[in-house]
Amino acid sequence: MAGMLKRLWNSAPVAAVRAFAAHPLVQRSFVVFTVAVFVYAAWVGLTQAPPDREMGDVQRIMYAHVPMVQMMLLAGTILFVCSVLYLFRASWRTDALAEASAELALVYGAIGTTLGAIWGRPTWGVYWAWDPRLTTVAILLVALAGYLALRRFVDDAERRAVWASVTAIIIAADVPIIYFSVKWWKSLHQVQSNPRTVDPQMVHALRWNITAFFLVFIVFLVVRYRIALAARLREVTVPDAQPRAREAVAS
Amino acid sequence: MNALHTVLAAVGEGRIRGGWEYVKAAYGICWTGLSLYALSLWIRSRRSEDVK
Amino acid sequence: MRHPGLLASTWVLFRKDLLVEWRSRSRINALVFFSLATLLLFSFALGPDTALLRRNAGGYLWLALLLSSVLALGESFRVERENAALEGLRLVPVDARAIFLSKGLANAVLLVGLGILLVPVLVALLDVRLVLPWPRLLVLTVLGCLAIAAPGTLYGAIASHARARDVLLPLLLFPILIPALVAAAKGTALVFEGDPMDQLNSWVALLASFDILYWGLGVVLFPRVVEE
């Protein structure tokens, strides 16, 4: 399977696309394109989409809050996949991608949760109502901060990569449990309202915003990944040395 | 009667709550946060290239 | 030489860990007084409305246990770091999973002991009564302490080799334990106050699932954590 993917990756058409994407002018244009889409999506969300029947214009916060939290979940998924992958096949690229996605998850999650709280004030009446989804995200943010602290406090690059992978897996395994426990814990008290976006103009605005935030996410991820990979390669004295394969370690 | 008309008009538009201050606060935080992070990434990217 | 099986190794190491703990009883004494002190702190911080204290007694018990566990887990691995005892064990060779199981169980036993000790203190200090029969509280305590011990042992091993280990361990551990804390505290509150809607079994089931998941994960992941 891995061999087949490698052959695909090195095949002529894919290599041509990769060379194209690696060109600095192409990359810079992509960033400009991203900014343009972002501005357009913001305009659609703030002016073109209609106000909600009940929430009024406060509805528009959803066009930023929903994509931010979705990107956070995407980053979290990438983190989990990379962590599992690293334990099977150690690679600095996988480790660098894990570090990048963890940081992005924290940033997107923090901003997204703040937006959720701001939305909550006029709609729930309070900034924080222990909504199960928002609470789970908040707990996840603390866990991610712990993950990033762990990365900072371990000096040996290989151990850091293994321990970080283990930590990410532990966190990921906990997410559904946290969600259910908060849901049960809270269900003893009150019912929450969920925002609905069924109006086609609202769906249109939301789609544009999700696209825009996704493009920004890609730009951030690539940049952060490169920073992480460069740091990793600097740490290792022989640049070509990959972390020792699992099979080679006598256990 | 005039007051009732005003309120009914507002109901139809879904604007009872107003709330643009919240929208402004939310978008302000979102854009500021993302911009600051972009700046941080740019600075670290520069630093990373300089060391090479 | 025939290598001992997993269960045999676990049992031997478990007895060793308990013996080491027993020999340094002063450590256990300090832990006991620490947990008592936290209960007092909660009472002073939130009292003297006795009705309020009584209602929240379940939460205080588990907060005290959680805070004490951080100290216990840190100590548990500090002992190994001195004289490179853990590396010595690995060289015998001992199955890393046996190390995880034995250390985890030893930590859990210590915490259960602490929990049992704290209940009469709660009864005296916060005027709680056991409305439901005490075996249910025992089951909760055992499951809850097992829940703390599994990720605690895993993270304890990691943190003991990192910088700022005293801060890193609780930072890593606490978010993971929130569901267990919720289940244990709510369950304990139901034991103290009565369970008209029969919710206790749901919380026990949640704790049991948490335990199975994290002891399973621990057995799989701990060898990777300690390998060189």
Side-chain angles (χ1 to χ4, degrees):
Chain A
M1 175 70 181
M4 197 176 76
L5 281 175
K6 224 187 176 98
R7 275 198 306 278
L8 188 63
W9 188 249
N10 292 325
S11 67
V14 175
V17 170
R18 281 167 54 205
F20 176 75
H23 194 290
L25 192 60
V26 170
Q27 296 189 338
R28 232 159 271 172
S29 313
F30 185 77
V31 174
V32 171
F33 172 68
T34 298
V35 173
V37 172
F38 192 82
V39 169
Y40 175 72
W43 177 75
V44 170
L46 285 172
T47 59
Q48 300 306 106
D52 180 75
R53 192 202 306 272
E54 289 168 5
M55 279 188 268
D57 292 303
V58 169
Q59 158 72 24
R60 302 179 193 279
I61 298 180
M62 289 290 107
Y63 301 129
H65 166 71
V66 169
M68 290 298 283
V69 176
Q70 281 185 346
M71 292 305 114
M72 182 222 182
L73 293 175
L74 176 60
T77 309
I78 296 174
L79 171 62
F80 175 61
V81 169
C82 285
S83 300
V84 173
L85 202 59
Y86 186 86
L87 292 182
F88 281 101
R89 185 194 207 75
S91 148
W92 293 131
R93 289 181 182 273
T94 313
D95 183 51
L97 190 56
E99 179 179 318
S101 54
E103 191 177 285
L104 282 196
L106 183 60
V107 170
Y108 272 76
I111 299 177
T113 313
T114 311
L115 260 46
I118 295 177
W119 173 82
R121 188 78 175 96
T123 49
W124 292 331
V126 288
Y127 284 113
W128 196 257
W130 300 102
D131 169 65
R133 283 178 302 182
L134 221 53
T135 306
T136 304
V137 170
I139 295 173
L140 205 51
L141 291 181
V142 180
L144 278 172
Y147 173 91
L148 291 171
L150 172 69
R151 290 202 84 106
R152 190 156 310 177
F153 290 143
V154 177
D155 296 323
D156 180 88
E158 282 180 30
R159 280 176 148 186
R160 179 200 309 140
V162 173
W163 291 348
S165 301
V166 166
T167 304
I169 291 172
I170 292 178
I171 295 173
D174 211 16
V175 169
I177 307 181
I178 294 174
Y179 179 75
F180 279 116
S181 68
V182 175
K183 199 159 182 222
W184 285 356
W185 179 68
K186 190 184 144 69
S187 71
L188 303 174
H189 302 289
Q190 66 187 118
V191 186
Q192 81 254 24
S193 63
N194 281 314
R196 306 163 331 272
T197 41
V198 290
D199 185 318
Q201 273 186 293
M202 288 184 180
V203 173
H204 172 78
L206 189 60
R207 283 223 184 98
W208 267 107
N209 275 282
I210 291 178
T211 308
F213 279 88
F214 176 69
L215 290 174
V216 172
F217 176 82
I218 294 295
V219 170
F220 282 174
L221 187 65
V222 169
V223 173
R224 185 62 184 84
Y225 164 75
R226 284 198 198 139
I227 295 173
L229 189 59
R232 211 75 347 111
L233 296 176
R234 264 202 309 280
E235 281 179 291
V236 179
T237 48
V238 179
D240 285 321
Q242 291 293 349
R244 282 167 300 177
R246 192 165 168 251
E247 306 84 74
V249 176
S251 48
Chain B
M1 240 12 240
N2 204 9
L4 182 61
H5 279 166
T6 318
V7 171
L8 284 177
V11 171
E13 302 260 324
R15 269 190 220 135
I16 293 182
R17 303 183 137 188
W20 273 103
E21 319 85 57
Y22 291 103
V23 178
K24 274 187 242 166
Y27 275 76
I29 288 178
C30 185
W31 293 346
T32 311
L34 288 177
S35 307
L36 285 176
Y37 186 63
L39 187 65
S40 149
L41 278 183
W42 188 68
I43 293 175
R44 282 186 283 171
S45 189
R46 279 276 119 120
R47 211 178 288 158
S48 172
E49 268 157 47
D50 284 340
V51 175
K52 271 195 207 155
Chain C
M1 190 180 86
R2 197 172 66 84
H3 291 305
L6 182 62
L7 276 173
S9 310
T10 305
W11 178 243
V12 167
L13 290 173
F14 176 64
R15 280 171 47 206
K16 176 220 45 150
D17 278 314
L18 287 184
L19 194 63
V20 168
E21 280 176 16
W22 180 248
R23 289 214 177 119
S24 55
R25 282 191 293 286
S26 53
R27 202 164 65 77
I28 299 184
N29 285 341
L31 215 55
V32 169
F33 283 112
F34 174 78
S35 54
L36 289 175
T38 50
L39 276 185
L40 275 176
L41 282 176
F42 292 141
S43 308
F44 282 120
L46 298 146
D49 180 354
T50 40
L52 181 71
L53 289 179
R54 196 185 317 132
R55 234 187 3 255
N56 294 320
Y60 299 157
L61 173 65
W62 284 98
L63 278 177
L65 277 176
L66 197 60
L67 293 173
S68 308
S69 76
V70 170
L71 297 182
L73 290 164
E75 276 298 310
S76 166
F77 278 95
R78 205 186 323 271
V79 162
E80 302 291 341
R81 268 183 79 72
E82 289 160 8
N83 305 317
L86 198 62
E87 284 80 354
L89 264 182
R90 297 281 290 131
L91 285 172
V92 170
V94 173
D95 192 336
R97 296 175 297 171
I99 301 178
F100 171 74
L101 288 172
S102 60
K103 265 227 174 296
L105 280 174
N107 286 325
V109 164
L110 180 59
L111 289 172
V112 169
L114 215 54
I116 292 175
L117 228 64
L118 289 177
V119 169
V121 176
L122 276 177
V123 170
L125 211 60
L126 304 175
D127 192 28
V128 298
R129 299 191 202 306
L130 262 64
V131 173
L132 295 182
W134 64 264
R136 310 213 68 177
L137 183 59
L138 186 61
V139 166
L140 264 177
T141 309
V142 168
L143 288 178
C145 293
L146 284 173
I148 297 177
T153 305
L154 207 50
Y155 281 148
I158 290 177
S160 67
H161 290 278
R163 290 184 283 132
R165 63 188 65 116
D166 297 319
V167 170
L168 194 58
L169 178 57
L171 177 57
L172 289 175
L173 192 57
F174 288 171
I176 302 298
L177 287 180
I178 286 178
L181 175 66
V182 164
K186 278 273 165 269
T188 309
L190 290 170
V191 170
F192 289 157
E193 311 236 304
D195 188 14
M197 290 189 282
D198 199 18
Q199 296 163 337
L200 185 57
N201 289 325
S202 310
W203 292 122
V204 169
L206 183 67
L207 263 182
S209 314
F210 188 94
D211 287 341
I212 292 171
L213 176 65
Y214 277 97
W215 278 88
L217 271 181
V219 166
V220 170
L221 295 173
F222 191 81
R224 298 305 305 269
V225 168
V226 295
E227 77 185 359
E228 288 297 318

